[in-house]
Amino acid sequence: MVVSIIIPVHKTIPYFKDCVLSALRQSYKDIEVIIACNHTLTRKACEEFLAIKDTRLVFIETKKGRHHARNEALQIAKGDYIQFLDYDDYLYPEKISLHLKAFVADNKHLAVGLCQWKKFTNHINEAYSFPFSYLFTEQPKHLLDVIELLGEKGGFVATIAWLFPKDLIKNIKWIDAPNDDAVFISDLIKKKPEVSLINSTLAGYRIHDFNTSTLTEKKELDLLLKGWQHISINLKEYTSVKVYQYLYRAYVIILKQSKVFNYYKYFKVLMLVISYGFKSKQSFIKILKDIKRSLY
């Protein structure tokens, strides 16, 4: 059983090599590591920078954009399972192995694997207290249950925390949006997959000045709104209060982000906050407080 680890990369930076090595050092050896070079980074430049000799490395050049890199890599991936890994993040050596063992133990071969993850800046061994332990103690059985827990209690799931069966995601496309991972998961929810949980830290999300989750331009806010519109359409058939809370929390955050761009699209987002606030049974006072926080 082959596992494909897909790494989109658009520039060579020191911790990119650490990322690739963490993929190659998996205790489960039947892997391929696809380096999807996009933007102006060529395959040759990437190979020379890494200077790693390993037959499991596959280099391709793709169209500009992380979404294109992931989609094009997915088309050529030989794996039965897919691990998405950003070029600045890190996999613990047992990440793939423990997921595969859990699929067998849970008898969930077409489930989505989910593990704990940590944030770090320089060293993977930095102290970190995982804030979303409820995702594991509450024992969600389906992917929708994960979304409802995020709606009820807040938080997010890092892209590296998942492991996907290829048969489950082969027709799903990544889009160009700052919240591309949430969009991808919402597309996957329509297939109603189960979740296989590992209550251990098996991946690291690196924090630095150039994380793509940080918005720097108005067009990125537009893409973020487009992404959440996509998500809300995917979740339209699920009318639970917790799903509406999930959307409410997202738009409250965007309302605050619009302030960075001189309140760009503020009124549009404000209407969505109010709408999802009432749908999710938020008190009027709570909605007003969240709106007030966005102004200061």
Side-chain angles (χ1 to χ4, degrees):
M1 194 158 45
V2 179
V3 176
S4 298
I5 302 175
I6 294 175
I7 307 176
V9 58
H10 65 283
K11 61 181 178 180
T12 53
I13 47 180
Y15 37 74
F16 169 45
K17 188 167 185 176
D18 292 337
C19 167
V20 174
L21 288 173
S22 79
L24 293 171
R25 289 170 178 165
Q26 290 299 295
S27 62
Y28 185 81
K29 301 302 182 184
D30 198 1
I31 63 172
E32 63 172 359
V33 179
I34 304 175
I35 311 295
C37 307
N38 66 100
H39 196 30
T40 59
L41 180 62
T42 66
R43 170 178 172 169
K44 181 180 179 182
C46 193
E47 288 179 340
E48 290 177 348
F49 175 82
L50 290 174
I52 299 173
K53 299 297 182 182
D54 194 308
T55 57
R56 297 172 299 168
L57 279 176
V58 179
F59 293 87
I60 63 172
E61 292 183 18
T62 74
K63 288 184 287 187
K64 178 182 177 180
R66 182 172 64 182
H67 59 305
H68 287 309
R70 286 173 173 165
N71 289 334
E72 292 180 40
L74 189 56
Q75 287 178 353
I76 63 129
K78 298 176 181 177
D80 303 287
Y81 290 92
I82 305 295
Q83 170 73 58
F84 292 105
L85 174 62
D86 286 343
Y87 76 118
D88 45 2
D89 294 337
Y90 181 93
L91 299 181
Y92 282 72
E94 297 295 321
K95 213 279 186 182
I96 301 300
S97 176
L98 290 179
H99 275 305
L100 297 180
K101 289 178 182 177
F103 290 146
V104 173
D106 298 340
N107 196 24
K108 294 181 177 180
H109 298 281
L110 278 178
V112 176
L114 175 61
C115 70
Q116 287 193 23
W117 67 97
K118 68 178 292 184
K119 292 182 179 180
F120 72 105
T121 304
N122 297 311
H123 304 290
I124 193 63
N125 293 327
E126 291 168 6
Y128 183 75
S129 179
F130 184 64
F132 310 128
S133 57
Y134 63 82
L135 289 171
F136 300 88
T137 57
E138 296 280 341
Q139 293 290 302
K141 294 183 178 180
H142 295 86
L143 193 54
L144 180 62
D145 297 334
V146 174
I147 295 301
E148 290 189 330
L149 280 170
L150 291 173
E152 179 185 9
K153 301 177 183 294
F156 73 102
V157 177
T159 306
I160 44 168
W162 303 105
L163 185 71
F164 301 103
K166 187 180 180 183
D167 285 345
L168 204 59
I169 66 169
K170 60 185 177 183
N171 295 320
I172 298 177
K173 301 294 183 184
W174 289 86
I175 72 165
D176 183 16
N179 57 338
D180 55 1
D181 50 350
V183 175
F184 188 85
I185 292 299
S186 75
D187 282 330
L188 186 55
I189 281 175
K190 293 184 290 185
K191 298 189 178 185
K192 299 178 171 59
E194 292 184 286
V195 177
S196 174
L197 301 170
I198 301 177
N199 194 9
S200 300
T201 302
L202 298 177
Y205 174 84
R206 189 187 295 269
I207 302 299
H208 55 88
D209 292 338
F210 303 103
N211 286 116
T212 54
S213 56
T214 303
L215 304 185
T216 58
E217 300 179 35
K218 287 182 178 179
K219 66 179 182 180
E220 292 173 340
L221 185 63
D222 285 330
L223 288 172
L224 183 64
L225 285 170
K226 182 180 177 181
W228 280 106
Q229 182 181 24
H230 188 121
I231 292 167
S232 63
I233 291 171
N234 283 338
L235 298 178
K236 193 173 183 179
E237 67 176 282
Y238 307 106
T239 56
S240 73
V241 168
K242 292 178 183 178
V243 167
Y244 289 137
Q245 286 176 336
Y246 176 68
L247 296 168
Y248 174 75
R249 289 179 184 276
Y251 283 114
V252 167
I253 292 171
I254 298 173
L255 198 63
K256 296 174 184 177
Q257 289 174 319
S258 75
K259 182 171 62 176
V260 176
F261 305 106
N262 198 25
Y263 297 99
Y264 177 66
K265 297 289 179 73
Y266 185 86
F267 184 74
K268 177 180 179 178
V269 182
L270 177 63
M271 293 299 100
L272 290 166
V273 166
I274 294 171
S275 175
Y276 284 116
F278 286 124
K279 287 180 179 179
S280 62
K281 310 297 183 183
Q282 305 297 314
S283 70
F284 183 65
I285 293 176
K286 171 71 164 57
I287 296 171
L288 283 180
K289 285 182 177 178
D290 285 337
I291 292 171
K292 185 177 180 180
R293 289 191 193 100
S294 73
L295 294 169
Y296 304 102

